[in-house]
Amino acid sequence: MPQKLGQSGLVCMHWPDAVLFPGQERASRSKPKGIFDLTVTECTQILAALRDTGPFRLHFKSDPNKIHKV
């Protein structure tokens, strides 16, 4: 997913630190299951980041200068 975002010039801002980014695999899984790989704690961290009204809320922004060609 990071590659897809980069190709579109989108930047993910303030993703919670210890949370898997979509497309990353947890080492303990034989078959990745996307969002199902997240723990309850990780889901809670993402929700808190999305609901944050301060400067560190989770959001995406468009930055045409950061388009990456793959």
Side-chain angles (χ1 to χ4, degrees):
M1 183 153 165
Q3 288 178 341
K4 298 274 186 196
L5 290 173
Q7 290 171 347
S8 301
L10 290 173
V11 180
C12 179
M13 303 297 294
H14 308 294
W15 186 263
D17 283 336
V19 177
L20 289 178
F21 198 73
Q24 288 182 313
E25 297 179 12
R26 188 172 305 280
S28 63
R29 299 275 185 169
S30 59
K31 287 185 175 181
K33 304 234 188 292
I35 198 163
F36 291 110
D37 280 346
L38 297 178
T39 65
V40 172
T41 302
E42 291 170 328
C43 289
T44 302
Q45 290 174 331
I46 291 172
L47 285 172
L50 286 168
R51 291 179 177 157
D52 187 342
T53 58
F56 297 108
R57 75 186 187 290
L58 172 60
H59 65 281
F60 295 85
K61 72 176 188 175
S62 176
D63 189 346
N65 296 323
K66 297 213 177 201
I67 293 178
H68 297 283
K69 298 194 183 340
V70 178

